[in-house]
Structures are given as C-alpha cells and as structure tokens.
Amino acid sequence: MRTLYLDCFSGISGDMFIGALIDAGGDSTFLEEELQKLNISEEYKLSWRKVVKNGISSTKFDVELSETTDHKYASGHQHNHKHEDEDVDHNHEHEHSDHHEHSHHHSHRAYQDIVKLIERSQLSQKVKETSLNIFRKIGEAEGLIHGISLEKVHFHEVGAVDSIIDIVGASILINKLEIQKVVSSPVCVGAGKVHIDHGIYPIPAPATLEILKGVPLQQSNIKSELTTPTGAAIVSVLSEEFCTVPSMTVQSVGYGAGTKDFEKHPNVLRVIIGEES
C-alpha cells in the first residue's frame, strides 16, 4: 500500500506540507494547472524554491497575493479572530503571511463561499471531497470557539486565498501521488504565547487546539507557533494513525521548509513516501 508518513518534529503548516510533497517528487506544474480550475488565479501567484535549513536542503512553497486581493471581500462581516499570523513576537510560522507586506489585511470569505468555490470548480471529485473535509474541520473548530454555527463562520487567515491554495493544493498532490494511506508522527505545536483579538493565549491557539483533538501532541521547548490551523487540519483529517515510522520500503523523501529559522533546530516538515507491506 502506497503510504505517506508525516514527520511533524517541527510542526506542520499548509505551505510546509506542499513544499515537502513537491520535494518528494510531487508534480509542481500539474499542481499549478489544476489550481487554475478554482478560477481565482488572478488573485495569487505561486512560487517554490530550494532553501537550506540548518544544513538540510528543502523546498519553500509560497503563495503571493495580488495587490487587489485583500480588498475584494473586505466589505463583508469582519471575522474577529486575528489568528496566528499576529504572533506576540511577530515571529511565527504562519503559512505565508510573513512574506508579503499586506499580510495582516487579508480578505474575508465565508465558509459557504469556499464550499461553493470548490464545488463549482472542474477539480476531480476526490480532490473536492478531501478539500471540503479539511475546510469543514477548520470551520467547525472556529464555530465552536466563537459560539456560532458553521454557516455563520467567516474566515480571516484560513479564508484568505493562500490558505485555500494550501488546502486544495494539498488535496491535488495527495491524489496525483496516488497516496493510499497517510500516517503521522505526534504533532509538535511549539511553546510560548500567541496574540489574537481576545488577548494573549498560550500556544497552541484555541482553534488549532480544537482541530487537534484526538491527535497526539509532541512536547517542544521552541518558543514559536510551529503548527498552524491549516496544518493542523491537514494532518488531522488525512492521518489514519499516529506512530513512529511504519514498516515500509522507502521510495522518496521530501523536506518542506517553514519560514522561521531556529539556531539548533531545522524548521522543516519531513515526508516519507513508500510501500507498506
């Protein structure tokens, strides 16, 4: 059985996940072409490049938002959770927001808008289902945290274009790589504090922690948010089991780079693709 193992020793975010899959042999050109089926390609630009993290060659995947994107949906309901891109020390491992100057003015899309966007696309049924399952996981967590129904959830960080790309992109690559089973290590979330609209909270932030219910967490002394809501939802929805590396014949290994650098800790997500007997 073709198995994907996620080694989350430095947490997981959407861009780390996609970077790692590209690094492990995922087809980046196919990814770019398939994402155009969402019909929002004027809102973003993709880039990926090789970087070295503490001596480890890895792939850094980024989504750069178009100048007009941030204002396109901003007239709607303002979701009142700044989310993890507003870290206290401004040093956090968020999907993409560290990379562009208007990171804290992301657009707003309702959960229902995202569902329609995916359902109306020409993506395969399998990719649609996986994407919707991941978004639902985040939507339900947000609804629970804020005491509102799923239908009333509006996304700030997660509804922004970059996270839509991360989640749908993850689904596209998993499908293209013909992964039959996903297993993961316990998830490292980091330590310290994070700033949201309601005050300063310990890491993991409320939504991330809610998403990770049932997922074994790994202790860490690194004072940074290593796992984002998007990353948490990907690992939570896709993984069938949480364990050490399973008995498998390794076919490829990939490293997806996070944004932040740590002195003695490579900030990467390692993935192993192989055949499980």
Side-chain angles (χ1 to χ4, degrees), residues 35-234:
L35 283 170
Q36 288 177 5
K37 293 178 179 178
L38 286 169
N39 297 315
I40 56 168
S41 52
E42 75 284 353
E43 297 183 39
Y44 68 88
K45 198 173 89 177
L46 302 184
S47 68
W48 52 91
R49 66 190 191 282
K50 285 279 188 183
V51 297
V52 175
K53 290 275 181 182
N54 299 62
I56 296 177
S57 175
S58 52
T59 297
K60 184 77 190 80
F61 176 79
D62 288 307
V63 178
E64 194 182 318
L65 300 188
S66 306
E67 288 301 312
T68 55
T69 303
D70 288 334
H71 310 291
K72 194 168 178 184
Y73 300 93
S75 58
H77 169 70
Q78 299 293 301
H79 184 45
N80 62 354
H81 186 170
K82 278 184 189 170
H83 260 304
E84 293 68 28
D85 53 356
E86 304 268 342
D87 193 287
V88 176
D89 299 314
H90 216 76
N91 63 356
H92 123 256
E93 201 31 76
H94 166 60
E95 266 89 43
H96 311 291
S97 68
D98 293 342
H99 307 296
H100 43 80
E101 59 189 8
H102 43 262
S103 60
H104 302 304
H105 307 285
H106 277 180
S107 54
H108 295 68
R109 266 188 169 104
Y111 171 76
Q112 290 170 310
D113 295 335
I114 294 166
V115 170
K116 283 177 195 162
L117 184 73
I118 294 167
E119 284 179 344
R120 288 174 184 166
S121 73
Q122 297 299 307
L123 291 160
S124 75
Q125 201 52 42
K126 209 168 175 184
V127 168
K128 286 181 185 179
E129 277 172 26
T130 305
S131 304
L132 291 170
N133 286 342
I134 296 169
F135 263 113
R136 187 176 184 89
K137 186 80 172 176
I138 300 169
E140 285 174 346
E142 287 286 357
L144 196 69
I145 294 294
H146 297 297
I148 56 175
S149 67
L150 184 61
E151 289 68 37
K152 290 182 179 171
V153 170
H154 279 66
F155 292 111
H156 168 55
E157 177 230 347
V158 173
V161 177
D162 52 358
S163 293
I164 294 171
I165 296 303
D166 280 346
I167 288 169
V168 177
S171 308
I172 289 165
L173 286 175
I174 285 280
N175 193 50
K176 177 67 172 169
L177 285 163
E178 298 179 332
I179 303 298
Q180 295 165 291
K181 182 182 176 186
V182 180
V183 291
S184 173
S185 70
V187 177
C188 197
V189 292
K193 294 195 167 63
V194 65
H195 181 247
I196 62 176
D197 270 0
H198 314 287
I200 296 168
Y201 281 77
I203 289 169
T208 307
L209 187 59
E210 187 60 40
I211 291 164
L212 290 171
K213 271 185 183 171
V215 173
L217 305 184
Q218 190 178 318
Q219 190 181 14
S220 169
N221 296 320
I222 293 169
K223 291 280 171 76
S224 186
E225 185 182 47
L226 299 177
T227 295
T228 63
T230 304
I234 287 170

Side-chain angles (χ1 to χ4, degrees), residues 166 236 275:
D166 280 346
S236 173
E275 200 63 37

Side-chain angles (χ1 to χ4, degrees), residues 4 6 16-27 169-171 173-174 177 179 254-256 269 271 273:
L4 170 69
L6 306 176
M16 289 168 84
F17 184 79
I18 290 182
L21 289 185
I22 291 171
D23 206 61
D27 189 337
S171 308
L173 286 175
I174 285 280
L177 285 163
I179 303 298
Y255 294 89
L269 170 70
V271 301
I273 298 173

Side-chain angles (χ1 to χ4, degrees), residues 254-266:
Y255 294 89
T259 305
K260 196 157 187 255
D261 293 309
F262 303 110
E263 193 184 345
K264 294 179 180 175
H265 176 87

